[in-house]
């Protein structure tokens, strides 16, 4: 039966169902074509890895290092020499005609071959046997690539991808999502936990341990730089044990959305494994269904968080939250991070923070780096847990010379827009920072909390729309014009006195005055302007006017 679709002019047209099937088939054919031209070819690393595992002495010229070979062929004098093909032959014949070809020579003395020969191998068996083994290696990679293409086109799971790759990778491996949690794993029974403690702990706990990232960040900066997940699709990471433990990052829009880790089975080889990992991660990156495979929405984490902030009523709000790993958290707080002017490379610092604090969600919104803290706890326990996490985070920021401007707590992600407004207000208002420093003595200089400046924000918003002069009494206006006695004005004295709940001793200590001097001047202010500071209502109104005047939020 045809389907009916309405056009802009209001008329309906018949749309044959068969046409939709044709479109899908064309798209599938296009996918097969795209994946078909991305074959996993023989490379320098894969070939040398194979020779090493076979325990064949070999020599590879540097000229063959960056080559990829689409097939293996036998060389004989007069044969057609094609680019990107590896030609295999026996030593002792006339090889001068093959100078421009990539030649692999089976020989009894690998060092006796001409300098232009790419590969010289002292392999077991005859030339046909050697040629057959290289062809078999190439065929294994081709079949694996076809299987991988089929899984990607048909939305195969990560577990299916690992199972199909096991014979190629030859070692225990797993996939991690962008929050370092295990999505799929293979080969646990092959794992020697004493030799590969990092992998063992990851598979036991279901996520990468914080120790891994702490050890990584303790490396010298020149070594650590190559391991940061930047625009490179694959980066290999520091080995923690006798086994070679590798980590690869699949990056979309500069954001790592998938990680693949494995242990190399052979101690003395593994270069070919790196090439296979690169191919696997590249294929996953270029697959349109990457996040579908992971059970996530197709988009970068920055874009997903932007959708949550911009549209709290988004119809896919819960799905997006789940894709970011926030579905179990019940209490949140949001922090905006500002690095000092002497700090360069904010993207690198973001990566460092992600590595050191994997439980915190980092994202960029309107060119501001934000940190979302979440906890599964409720009520008072939740605030205590979030305070602890923010405190630990502050220690890292202190070393980096950075400040985190933290919002109030909220219990639903649909309030993320309000949390962002609070954090942004702290970030953008220098007066708020000064007021915070004035009110929150003794707190970490690396954290500025919105609760300490919330009153300032309310007054700023109010006096933006209502002129201050309409709410300022004549007596208060007269008091603002009186010259200061020493360095302290009457308004500053009254503001500090009221802020400290009419405690003359604390006020004197903060303003570096004598206590008797504070009492004398406060009494004189009451007499001159007719204030009664024992009246709670008057105290609150005067404090609000003093805050507006002292912090500049009166407009």
């Amino acid at each position: 039966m045809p389907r009916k679709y309405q056009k802009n002019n209001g008329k309906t047209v018949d749309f044959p169902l068969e046409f939709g099937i044709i479109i899908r088939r064309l798209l599938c054919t296009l996918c097969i074509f795209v994946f078909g031209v991305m074959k996993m070819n023989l490379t320098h690393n894969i070939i040398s890895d194979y020779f090493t595992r076979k325990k064949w002495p070999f020599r590879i010229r540097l000229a063959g290092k960056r080559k990829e070979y689409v097939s293996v062929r036998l060389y004989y004098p007069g044969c057609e020499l094609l680019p990107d093909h590896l030609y295999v032959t026996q030593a002792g014949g006339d090889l001068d005609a093959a100078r421009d070809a990539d030649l692999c020579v089976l020989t009894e003395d690998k060092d006796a071959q001409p300098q232009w020969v790419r590969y010289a191998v002292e392999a077991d068996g005859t030339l046909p046997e050697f040629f057959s083994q290289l062809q078999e290696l190439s065929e294994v990679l081709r079949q694996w690539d076809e299987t991988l293409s089929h899984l990607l086109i048909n939305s195969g799971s990560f577990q299916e991808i690992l199972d199909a790759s096991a014979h190629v990778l030859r070692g225990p491996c797993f996939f991690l999502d962008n929050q370092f949690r295990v999505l799929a794993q293979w080969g646990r029974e092959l794992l020697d936990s004493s030799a590969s403690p990092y992998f063992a702990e990851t598979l036991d706990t279901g996520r990468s341990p914080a120790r891994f990232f702490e050890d990584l960040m303790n490396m010298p900066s020149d070594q650590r730089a190559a391991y940061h997940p930047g625009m490179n699709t694959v980066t290999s990471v520091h080995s923690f044990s006798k086994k070679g433990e590798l980590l690869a990052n699949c990056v979309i829009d500069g954001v790592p959305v998938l990680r693949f880790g494995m242990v190399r089975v052979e101690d003395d080889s593994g270069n070919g494994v790196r090439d296979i990992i690169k191919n696997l991660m590249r294929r996953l990156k270029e697959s349109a269904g990457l996040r579908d495979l992971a059970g996530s929405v197709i988009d970068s984490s920055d874009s997903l968080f932007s959708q949550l902030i911009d549209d709290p009523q988004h119809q896919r709000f819960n799905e997006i939250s789940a894709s970011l790993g926030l579905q179990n958290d019940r209490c949140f707080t949001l922090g905006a991070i500002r690095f000092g002017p002497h700090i360069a490379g904010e993207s690198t610092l973001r990566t460092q923070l992600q590595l050191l604090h994997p439980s915190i969600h980092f994202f960029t919104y309107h060119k501001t780096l934000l940190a979302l803290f979440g906890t599964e706890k409720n009520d008072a326990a939740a605030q205590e847990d979030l305070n602890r996490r923010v405190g630990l985070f502050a220690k890292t920021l202190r070393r980096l010379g950075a400040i985190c401007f933290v919002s109030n707590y909220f219990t639903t992600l649909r309030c993320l827009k309000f949390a962002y407004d609070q954090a942004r207000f702290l970030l953008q208002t220098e007066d708020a920072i000064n007021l915070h420093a004035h009110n929150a003595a003794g707190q970490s200089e690396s954290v500025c909390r919105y609760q300490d400046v919330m009153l300032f924000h309310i007054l700023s918003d109010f006096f933006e729309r209502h002129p201050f002069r309409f709410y300022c009494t004549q007596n208060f206006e007269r008091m603002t014009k009186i010259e200061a006695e020493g360095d302290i004005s009457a308004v500053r004295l009254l503001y500090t006195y009221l802020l400290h709940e009419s405690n003359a001793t604390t006020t004197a200590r903060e303003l570096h005055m004598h206590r008797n001097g504070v009492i004398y001047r406060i009494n004189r202010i009451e007499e001159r302007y007719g204030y009664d500071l024992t009246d709670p209502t008057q105290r609150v109104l005067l404090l609000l006017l003093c805050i507006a005047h002292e912090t500049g939020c009166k407009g």
Side-chain angles (χ1 to χ4, degrees):
M1 291 291 294
R3 296 179 180 176
K4 292 186 179 292
Y5 288 87
Q6 191 168 18
K7 299 176 71 175
N8 292 335
N9 58 10
K11 296 180 180 180
T12 59
V13 295
D14 291 337
F15 186 84
L17 184 61
E18 291 78 7
F19 186 71
I21 295 174
I22 293 171
I23 291 295
R24 285 197 295 273
R25 286 177 178 173
L26 286 174
L27 289 174
C28 186
T29 303
L30 178 61
C31 288
I32 293 173
F33 170 75
V34 171
F35 287 122
V37 299
M38 292 171 53
K39 294 300 181 185
M40 180 59 195
N41 300 324
L42 284 173
T43 64
H44 164 274
N45 286 334
I46 291 174
I47 293 172
S48 62
D49 185 18
Y50 183 72
F51 290 165
T52 301
R53 286 189 290 112
K54 287 288 189 177
K55 298 182 179 179
W56 293 339
F58 65 93
R59 185 208 66 202
I60 298 182
R61 298 295 182 197
L62 292 177
K65 236 181 177 182
R66 302 188 182 278
K67 289 284 187 175
E68 289 194 9
Y69 304 107
V70 297
S71 70
V72 182
R73 294 188 176 186
L74 278 173
Y75 168 78
Y76 56 90
C79 71
E80 182 182 11
L81 299 176
L82 300 174
D84 302 325
H85 287 65
L86 183 63
Y87 290 90
V88 179
T89 187
Q90 188 89 34
D94 183 12
L95 304 180
D96 287 342
R99 279 180 174 271
D100 296 330
D102 289 296
L103 211 59
C104 180
V105 176
L106 181 62
T107 178
E108 294 181 356
D109 184 1
K110 60 183 176 61
D111 297 320
Q113 298 307 307
Q115 293 294 319
W116 49 266
V117 170
R118 298 285 193 265
Y119 305 87
V121 189
E122 299 175 20
D124 299 330
T126 63
L127 177 62
E129 291 172 339
F130 175 67
F131 172 66
S132 176
Q133 291 184 68
L134 282 184
Q135 277 196 319
E136 183 180 346
L137 173 62
S138 180
E139 180 64 17
V140 166
L141 293 176
R142 187 190 66 79
Q143 290 180 359
W144 171 70
D145 194 81
E146 287 184 358
T147 304
L148 187 60
S149 297
H150 175 78
L151 289 172
L152 292 174
I153 292 171
N154 294 285
S155 299
S157 68
F158 279 124
Q159 192 60 58
E160 290 174 321
I161 290 173
L162 278 189
D163 292 341
S165 306
H167 67 292
V168 177
L169 296 170
R170 306 186 313 278
C173 42
F174 57 71
F175 279 117
L176 300 172
D177 64 10
N178 60 348
Q179 295 301 316
F180 307 99
R181 295 169 302 197
V182 175
L183 293 171
Q185 63 184 49
W186 177 86
R188 183 187 183 93
E189 65 280 0
L190 303 176
L191 188 64
D192 183 354
S193 59
S194 61
S196 304
Y198 160 60
F199 270 71
E201 188 173 347
T202 299
L203 298 184
D204 285 339
T205 61
R207 65 173 296 117
S208 291
R211 170 183 55 79
F212 165 70
F213 305 102
E214 292 169 356
D215 290 350
L216 179 62
M217 297 311 297
N218 286 332
M219 295 173 62
S221 58
D222 56 334
Q223 296 180 28
R224 191 176 66 231
Y227 303 144
H228 291 158
M231 293 307 296
N232 297 324
T233 303
V234 176
T235 53
S236 54
V237 186
H238 175 56
S239 286
F240 287 87
S241 59
K242 298 175 183 177
K243 295 285 186 180
E245 297 177 335
L246 303 178
L247 183 73
N249 295 288
C250 187
V251 181
I252 294 181
D253 297 332
V255 179
V257 295
L258 182 69
R259 289 173 171 85
F260 172 79
M262 75 168 295
V263 178
R264 294 180 299 187
V265 176
E266 295 84 5
D267 291 334
D268 299 329
S269 63
N271 289 328
V273 170
R274 292 176 184 270
D275 275 8
I276 291 174
I277 290 176
K278 287 180 181 180
N279 179 70
L280 174 61
M281 299 304 288
R282 184 184 74 242
R283 295 292 301 278
L284 287 168
K285 177 183 178 181
E286 296 178 4
S287 167
L290 171 61
R291 283 192 176 272
D292 287 338
L293 290 173
S296 306
V297 183
I298 303 177
D299 219 330
S300 70
S301 59
D302 288 358
S303 177
L304 293 175
F305 274 109
S306 297
Q307 293 178 51
L308 298 184
I309 294 175
D310 294 335
D311 188 5
Q313 304 305 319
H314 198 293
Q315 60 181 358
R316 295 163 59 215
F317 191 95
N318 293 333
E319 180 188 353
I320 295 172
S321 302
S323 73
L324 293 167
L326 303 171
Q327 68 274 20
N328 296 323
D329 290 341
R330 299 179 180 179
C331 189
F332 306 87
T333 187
L334 186 69
I337 302 171
R338 186 178 70 182
F339 296 101
H342 61 287
I343 299 294
E346 185 171 317
S347 60
T348 302
L349 292 174
R350 170 179 172 173
T351 300
Q352 291 185 19
L353 294 175
Q354 285 176 319
L355 294 176
L356 287 172
H357 300 275
S359 63
I360 301 175
H361 300 266
F362 295 94
F363 63 99
T364 300
Y365 180 72
H366 288 185
K367 299 181 179 181
T368 300
L369 179 59
L370 299 165
L372 181 65
F373 305 82
T375 179
E376 297 181 7
K377 298 180 181 179
N378 275 325
D379 305 326
Q383 294 193 18
E384 183 179 345
D385 187 42
L386 290 177
N387 280 334
R388 179 184 61 81
R389 297 188 184 195
V390 172
L392 292 174
F393 186 58
K395 293 181 180 179
T396 303
L397 294 182
R398 196 176 300 118
R399 292 197 300 269
L400 297 174
I403 302 176
C404 186
F405 303 92
V406 182
S407 72
N408 288 339
Y409 303 107
F410 54 101
T411 56
T412 171
L413 273 177
R414 295 188 186 273
C415 293
L416 197 56
K417 176 68 167 66
F418 301 107
Y420 169 71
D421 289 340
Q422 293 175 6
R424 183 187 60 177
F425 175 81
L426 286 170
L427 182 67
Q428 295 180 344
T429 310
E430 195 69 31
D431 289 331
I433 300 171
N434 295 335
L435 183 62
H436 161 77
H438 182 69
N439 291 345
Q443 290 197 18
S444 168
E445 68 276 8
S446 298
V447 175
C448 178
R449 299 181 183 275
Y450 179 76
Q451 63 190 25
D452 296 322
V453 296
M454 184 166 60
L455 187 57
F456 171 81
H457 192 186
I458 294 171
L459 290 174
S460 296
D461 187 61
F462 179 81
F463 287 124
E464 252 182 41
R465 291 171 287 143
H466 306 283
F468 177 74
R469 65 180 183 276
F470 293 160
Y471 298 87
C472 177
T473 63
Q474 272 191 333
N475 285 339
F476 188 84
E477 189 173 358
R478 281 174 49 215
M479 186 173 62
T480 62
K481 296 177 181 178
I482 292 179
E483 293 183 5
E485 295 185 21
D487 295 328
I488 301 169
S489 67
V491 177
R492 175 70 187 283
L493 173 64
L494 182 60
Y495 165 59
T496 308
Y497 182 74
L498 295 174
L499 197 64
H500 292 295
E501 300 177 349
S502 303
N503 188 313
T505 302
T506 307
T507 303
R509 186 182 303 117
E510 181 166 328
L511 297 179
H512 305 289
M513 295 175 59
H514 193 281
R515 181 178 180 276
N516 292 341
V518 170
I519 295 173
Y520 170 76
R521 289 190 60 185
I522 289 296
N523 289 336
R524 198 168 62 173
I525 288 174
E526 285 185 290
E527 292 172 3
R528 180 175 296 180
Y529 303 107
Y531 296 142
D532 180 7
L533 298 184
T534 62
D535 182 354
T537 303
Q538 278 200 38
R539 286 204 306 271
V540 170
L541 290 175
L542 283 171
L543 178 59
L544 292 176
L545 291 174
C546 286
I547 292 174
H549 182 273
E550 284 296 289
T551 59
C553 65
K554 62 180 182 176

